[in-house]
Amino acid sequence: LEGYRPQQQFSTIITRAYGTLARFYADARHLLAPHGVMLALKGGDLAAELGELQARKDAPAAVRVHGLAIPGVGKNRCLVEMA
């Protein structure tokens, strides 16, 4: 991912089970077009990951966490939106 250099950047980048939010952001942000959005499907307690992400010097301008109710999945899930 870090070495991938497409001719055109993407308006949306989506991940599931890639790693921490900060790692996903660091590894993929070069692929994001201006005004694009990065989406990460996450579970569990995100406090530490959100703190790590927001501590970056190049942190995203906006981070939103949307709770998800997924039928058949008893664990908490959410969609993290970074823009």
Side-chain angles (χ1 to χ4, degrees):
L1 181 64
E2 302 88 10
Y4 180 55
R5 302 281 186 241
Q7 291 183 4
Q8 185 174 5
Q9 292 174 306
F10 300 97
S11 62
T12 306
I13 301 172
I14 302 171
T15 188
R16 178 184 166 275
Y18 183 80
T20 67
L21 292 170
R23 179 172 175 204
F24 169 54
Y25 184 74
D27 290 352
R29 69 186 178 93
H30 70 280
L31 301 171
L32 192 64
H35 308 292
V37 64
M38 298 176 80
L39 302 171
L41 182 62
K42 300 295 286 184
D45 183 10
L46 293 178
E49 283 193 51
L50 289 168
E52 179 186 6
L53 176 66
Q54 293 170 338
R56 294 179 55 90
K57 292 179 183 178
D58 63 347
V63 178
R64 294 176 190 86
V65 179
H66 307 277
L68 301 175
I70 302 174
V73 177
K75 298 178 182 178
N76 292 337
R77 295 282 186 254
C78 61
L79 182 70
V80 180
E81 177 184 359
M82 297 170 273

